[in-house]
Amino acid sequence: MRWCGCFWLIDPCRTSRGARLASCGRKGVGVFASALGKPLSLNSDYRQWKALLQAAGVPDGRLHDTRHTAATVRLVLGVPERTVMSVMGWSSTAMAARYQDVTDPIRRDVADRIGGLLWAERKGADDAD
């Protein structure tokens, strides 16, 4: 068992489920566990997340929604997709499409930029008359 940032990785051969997986040829199975090597309660992250929100004095929200928010903020800021994929830990652009929500201001900006390209030449011609 070794500490890996925020959770413990348990050698798959040392747990019954891990032993079964290892016997099937699967290696490197990670299991979330407590510092004592016991499985975490199914809702421990939920309780910790809610306590963190309350302690920070921020509005209640779902932990999963923060992933969408983080991805969308990067889209709004114009962070290159490759960089977003690296930061978020994604290996495919499909994940970016799944988590990044195109907002109305983004749509407006695209429409304005396209409009500027389409009508800029016409405006110049009208001004010359």
Side-chain angles (χ1 to χ4, degrees):
M1 177 169 52
R2 73 181 201 279
W3 180 247
C4 186
C6 59
F7 56 91
W8 292 92
L9 289 178
I10 299 174
D11 179 358
C13 295
R14 298 189 65 188
T15 65
S16 59
R17 180 175 180 272
R20 285 194 307 273
L21 292 171
S23 69
C24 296
R26 295 174 99 177
K27 295 181 181 177
V29 178
V31 178
F32 290 104
S34 72
L36 300 175
K38 300 203 183 247
L40 293 176
S41 162
L42 292 177
N43 65 357
S44 64
D45 63 336
Y46 174 83
R47 287 191 317 265
Q48 290 175 5
W49 172 248
K50 295 301 182 180
L52 180 66
L53 291 177
Q54 187 174 20
V58 297
D60 190 26
R62 295 184 321 155
L63 179 59
H64 181 75
D65 293 341
T66 62
R67 195 156 175 81
H68 285 272
T69 300
T72 301
V73 165
R74 287 173 173 87
L75 177 65
V76 169
L77 292 175
V79 176
E81 187 173 85
R82 217 42 212 132
T83 304
V84 173
M85 288 174 58
S86 174
V87 169
M88 300 295 287
W90 300 330
S91 60
S92 75
T93 57
M95 293 303 288
R98 180 177 184 168
Y99 281 95
Q100 291 182 316
D101 302 317
V102 178
T103 63
D104 286 339
I106 293 172
R107 287 185 184 94
R108 242 181 270 115
D109 179 53
V110 170
D112 290 345
R113 291 167 64 189
I114 291 172
L117 287 173
L118 292 175
W119 308 118
E121 187 177 313
R122 185 177 194 129
K123 274 187 172 180
D126 289 346
D127 292 341
D129 290 341

